[in-house]
Amino acid sequence: MLADLASGFAALLNPMVIGFAFIGLLGGIIVGGLPGLTATMAVAVLAPFTFTMAPLVGLPFLLGVYKGAIYAGSIPAILINTPGTAAAAATAADGNAMARSGKARLALEISLYASVIADLIATMVLIAVAAPLATIAVSVGSAEFTLLYAIALTMVAAVSGDDMLKGLIATTAGILVAVVGLDPMSGAQRFTFGTTALLGGISLIPLLIGMFALSEILIRAEDALSTRPAATVKDMPKGTSISLGGLRRLMPTILRSTGIGTALGSLPGLGAEIACWVSYGVAKRMSKSPDRFGKGAPEGVAAAEAGNNAVCPAALIPMTVFGIPGDTITAVLLGAFMAQGLMPGPLMFSRDAETIYALFAFLIVSNVMLLFLGLWAVRHMQHIVSIPNALLYPSVAAFCFAGAYAVNNATFDIAIMLAGGLLGYLLRKTHLPIAPFVIGILLAPGLENALRQTLTVSRGSLSAFVDKPSALALLLVLLAILAVFTVRGLRPASSPPSQNQQRGTEK
């Protein structure tokens, strides 16, 4: 592993790799700093432009966009009390309170250092556990993979919204969309309705662009008054910088929240939006002065930002090892990997070891880049958050059309993008979560193949799921998850979800 990692660092010596990675990280910071533009939207819109690049150029670019956007969502949350991404919703509670009391620079620097430290630690965990897990996963049979896919889909459906039934409906709808095209075994047409353009299935990236980017534009266009308030910080954030002693006092909170974010990020369906709130809540309960939270507690900013940024590398664990995306952003990244000819899963560590370890090496290098770009953002991003929506969203719409067409140079993909935008808009308006729908599309082919292999080998007998101890253990885990979430779903809700929680679920 160390030799592969060393060769990965050597692959990064290409100036083009570092250059595009730098551009991606900078672009992600700009996107994250603009309220209304989510990290998922940015990765989905920009992914098609990387398909003509080499994997070691295009994929670091997208990973840079991902990391930069998740971090930079804290900047408008602190400066104007409007999270740039849903993952920074908890940051606004204490960050903006600190800014109003003249400590904007302190809050921004705490956010930056907590993000960099958490990302670095979570990256080390990713590098340490990915290869051993892949070695174990290679020996896993089709029955176990069937149950793993079922567990992932169940968890995503259960935790992506406040109503498990809605999550199951969205997941099932995604699976139905995924089966459009030719049956992989018999060659029979499924749900093509005589349209030859659908024989190869529905083009994934244009659909994701529509669902995440175009639907967001439609939602914003519907809101005539605009939900984004005008920026309140006109000049460079004032106040003292954080001292080494102050950072040392925050380290227990940062390390604890990093652990929470890493654990939650490695589980399918639990993204940065959930990790930031869980980390914030734990920090408040562990604090000796919990009444300070919400009124400008530095620990609140550190906890939220360490929690959500630790998810970025951790969500790559299930994606790279099992081919199961950890959240909606890694779902889009999974499509980008496949478009580059890389098939995430345990065999990727033997077939494409050089590429995967070069990406791991980039995740380490990008932390240094994020530190310096973050210090730049602390000084200058207050000017970017004031870009008017009338200029911002038409520009994003133009990128949507260009990105959808660039995938296959086909006008039919633009129609898919438009249909995806309308579908995403309808899902949001009916409060059906988008995440289980998208992940259902991505996991359905793997689930179908694993299930068919299992039933073929067992000649149609379901005993294959209980014959091996590993399969039986996973089956019991699946039943336990179903039982827990079913019981939870039968209980009456104690209180309606907050606006921030709803917004995080939608995005």
Side-chain angles (χ1 to χ4, degrees):
M1 183 178 66
L2 293 177
D4 288 332
L5 191 60
S7 64
F9 277 106
L12 295 181
L13 296 178
N14 186 337
M16 183 172 290
V17 175
I18 295 298
F20 273 92
F22 181 88
I23 294 172
L25 197 60
L26 177 61
I29 290 176
I30 294 174
V31 168
L34 293 170
L37 299 187
T38 66
T40 309
M41 175 195 295
V43 175
V45 170
L46 295 175
F49 299 100
T50 66
F51 294 167
T52 57
M53 304 177 185
L56 284 183
V57 177
L59 294 178
F61 172 80
L62 292 179
L63 288 172
V65 173
Y66 177 18
K67 295 180 65 171
I70 292 296
Y71 152 68
S74 64
I75 296 175
I78 292 170
L79 296 182
I80 60 176
N81 200 28
T82 302
T85 60
T91 308
D94 289 284
N96 187 249
M98 293 179 67
R100 292 197 305 269
S101 63
K103 300 178 181 178
R105 179 180 290 276
L106 178 61
L108 289 169
E109 291 188 357
I110 290 174
S111 167
L112 174 62
Y113 295 135
S115 300
V116 171
I117 293 171
D119 197 309
L120 180 61
I121 294 175
T123 298
M124 296 302 180
V125 173
L126 166 66
I127 296 172
V129 306
L133 283 177
T135 303
I136 297 173
V138 169
S139 61
V140 173
S142 58
E144 288 88 340
F145 264 105
T146 301
L147 292 169
L148 280 173
Y149 282 123
I151 289 172
L153 288 170
T154 302
M155 289 188 62
V156 170
V159 304
S160 294
D162 300 295
D163 189 339
M164 183 177 179
L165 179 60
K166 290 184 177 181
L168 290 173
I169 292 173
T171 303
T172 304
I175 293 174
L176 291 176
V177 171
V179 301
V180 173
L182 295 177
D183 185 288
M185 294 186 69
S186 67
Q189 296 186 24
R190 302 188 297 194
F191 302 110
T192 60
F193 304 103
T195 304
T196 57
L198 291 176
L199 291 178
I202 294 178
S203 188
L204 179 62
I205 296 298
L207 180 66
L208 296 181
I209 291 174
M211 295 196 68
F212 289 110
L214 195 60
S215 67
E216 181 68 25
I217 294 172
L218 293 174
I219 291 290
R220 296 286 172 169
E222 185 184 33
D223 186 2
L225 297 179
S226 178
T227 58
R228 180 164 62 90
T232 56
V233 179
K234 300 298 182 181
D235 303 314
M236 183 178 66
K238 299 297 193 297
T240 57
S241 299
I242 186 171
S243 64
L244 184 60
L247 184 60
R248 188 183 300 114
R249 286 190 292 272
L250 292 174
M251 282 304 296
T253 299
I254 294 174
L255 294 177
R256 180 172 58 245
S257 300
T258 300
I260 294 172
T262 303
L264 295 180
S266 62
L267 298 175
L270 303 179
E273 296 88 348
I274 296 176
C276 76
W277 285 109
V278 173
S279 300
Y280 184 85
V282 171
K284 183 176 181 179
R285 286 195 297 270
M286 297 288 291
S287 175
K288 297 180 180 179
S289 305
D291 56 310
R292 295 174 56 239
F293 280 70
K295 302 176 182 177
E299 295 86 351
V301 177
E305 287 303 299
N308 62 34
N309 281 272
V311 170
C312 296
L316 296 175
I317 296 175
M319 192 200 81
T320 56
V321 175
F322 299 107
I324 297 174
D327 56 11
T328 53
I329 305 179
T330 49
V332 180
L333 286 174
L334 178 61
F337 270 71
M338 295 168 63
Q340 291 281 7
L342 302 173
M343 186 58 66
L347 294 179
M348 186 170 67
F349 285 82
S350 57
R351 291 183 306 206
D352 303 293
E354 181 180 353
T355 300
I356 192 65
Y357 277 99
L359 294 178
F360 288 169
F362 164 73
L363 292 176
I364 297 175
V365 173
S366 65
N367 279 281
V368 180
M369 299 167 64
L370 179 61
L371 179 62
F372 287 100
L373 283 174
L375 292 173
W376 168 85
V378 166
R379 298 177 59 88
H380 301 290
M381 278 298 290
Q382 75 274 8
H383 304 299
I384 298 177
V385 300
S386 60
I387 294 177
N389 288 342
L391 176 63
L392 177 63
Y393 289 107
S395 302
V396 175
F399 275 106
C400 290
F401 280 89
Y405 182 79
V407 176
N408 299 307
N409 293 328
T411 54
F412 187 75
D413 285 346
I414 295 180
I416 291 178
M417 185 266 293
L418 293 173
L422 180 59
L423 179 59
Y425 174 81
L426 293 176
L427 288 176
R428 293 178 187 228
K429 298 300 289 186
T430 56
H431 302 290
L432 285 171
I434 293 180
F437 179 89
V438 173
I439 295 180
I441 294 175
L442 288 165
L443 296 189
L447 174 62
E448 180 183 13
N449 290 335
L451 179 60
R452 283 187 165 185
Q453 290 175 11
T454 302
L455 296 179
T456 299
V457 172
S458 65
R459 298 182 180 180
S461 175
L462 297 178
S463 62
F465 296 108
V466 295
D467 287 342
K468 295 173 62 177
S470 56
L472 179 60
L474 289 173
L475 179 61
L476 294 176
V477 171
L478 175 61
L479 294 176
I481 292 174
L482 286 171
V484 169
F485 286 118
T486 301
V487 171
R488 190 193 71 172
L490 293 175
R491 293 176 181 172
S494 57
S495 60
S498 67
Q499 184 178 0
N500 284 334
Q501 288 172 323
Q502 288 179 345
R503 187 177 302 166
T505 300
E506 292 172 356
K507 295 183 181 179

